[in-house]
Amino acid sequence: MATYACLSLPATPNFQRKITNLTRSSLTDQSQPQSASQTAKRNLLRLISDQNRGLKTQSDPQKLSQIIEAVDSLAAIGRDTVTTGESLSATWRLLWTTEKEQLFIIKNAPFFGTAAGDVLQVIDVEKKTLNNVITFPPDGVFFVRSDIQVASAQRVNFQFTSAVLRGKGWEFPLPPFGQGWFETVYIDDEIRVVKDIRDDYLVVERAPYSWTE
């Protein structure tokens, strides 16, 4: 899922370095025994660290299988937890996904003379809103607005309401399209792991900033 905003965002980051730093921050003392969730989380972050947000995984079925197995391990740990509460409200930044539409845009942005920056999912549980965002620094953004409804302890239903392609000084509205659901199978104070209605997977981190239109 993706959105845009008129923000001057940094150039496309080094995602391998970012995930490596995230892994280190979640395991600050390797000498101490790690919980099952920390071990599973570290394994997942290690597996996706060199996958360029999922682009490399598309041509590596063995790595995809390993990542899905790691996702399933975290999902098993989080099975009885509630993940649709206030902790879900955040600006989430993409680390890895299997969603073909997002990966297509990330891969092909250079053909349009730009590069994809941060890919975001902005959720507000109280306001029942979701924005899916893809940024094109310094001024471009594509975002899809959605209404959401918490359906269960881990599932959220969504319906797209509008979409906008925006650049510096211009904006092009697009019609809404589609509805579905996603399940947050694991969440903590750093990352969130998602499965959706199309059997796609998403791993995101809490962004260090809040995105707004």
Side-chain angles (χ1 to χ4, degrees):
M1 305 180 212
T3 40
Y4 274 55
C6 284
L7 294 176
S8 291
L9 297 171
T12 305
N14 184 321
F15 285 92
Q16 182 173 353
R17 183 175 60 201
K18 180 191 300 181
I19 298 174
T20 299
N21 291 339
L22 182 59
T23 305
R24 289 172 180 165
S25 72
S26 65
L27 300 169
T28 54
D29 189 349
Q30 297 284 347
S31 65
Q32 297 298 317
Q34 300 300 324
S35 68
S37 62
Q38 287 174 318
T39 300
K41 175 181 171 181
R42 176 177 60 181
N43 183 47
L44 174 61
L45 292 174
R46 176 183 60 82
L47 287 168
I48 67 175
S49 64
D50 62 350
Q51 294 302 294
N52 195 12
R53 294 191 277 193
L55 288 176
K56 291 184 178 180
T57 319
Q58 290 182 308
S59 58
D60 191 342
Q62 181 178 3
K63 178 57 71 73
L64 176 61
S65 178
Q66 292 172 342
I67 293 172
I68 291 176
E69 183 177 349
V71 167
D72 289 341
S73 294
L74 270 179
I77 292 168
R79 180 175 294 122
D80 297 322
T81 62
V82 176
T83 62
T84 52
E86 189 52 40
S87 65
L88 184 59
S89 295
T91 295
W92 298 96
R93 180 164 57 185
L94 178 68
L95 297 177
W96 179 86
T97 189
T98 60
E99 292 185 359
K100 294 180 177 62
E101 293 85 356
Q102 283 192 4
L103 293 174
F104 178 85
I105 294 174
I106 293 169
K107 180 180 180 180
N108 292 288
F111 288 106
F112 299 95
T114 185
D118 285 349
V119 178
L120 308 169
Q121 197 175 63
V122 186
I123 300 174
D124 190 318
V125 174
E126 183 178 358
K127 294 181 179 179
K128 299 181 179 181
T129 60
L130 161 67
N131 279 337
N132 290 307
V133 183
I134 301 178
T135 64
F136 301 100
D139 301 304
V141 64
F142 170 69
F143 61 95
V144 180
R145 303 182 185 101
S146 302
D147 292 332
I148 61 171
Q149 185 70 46
V150 172
S152 68
Q154 296 197 340
R155 180 173 292 191
V156 172
N157 297 328
F158 64 86
Q159 182 165 1
F160 299 126
T161 58
S162 63
V164 174
L165 180 61
R166 179 181 294 165
K168 187 174 183 177
W170 61 269
E171 180 173 303
F172 185 73
L174 299 167
F177 51 94
Q179 60 185 0
W181 55 260
F182 63 85
E183 291 181 344
T184 297
V185 299
Y186 177 83
I187 191 171
D188 64 18
D189 59 354
E190 291 183 319
I191 72 166
R192 177 169 149 258
V193 181
V194 181
K195 297 180 181 179
D196 70 18
I197 190 173
R198 301 189 304 177
D199 289 327
D200 276 320
Y201 297 84
L202 187 75
V203 182
V204 292
E205 67 171 346
R206 294 183 188 272
Y209 60 87
S210 296
W211 183 91
T212 60
E213 292 189 38

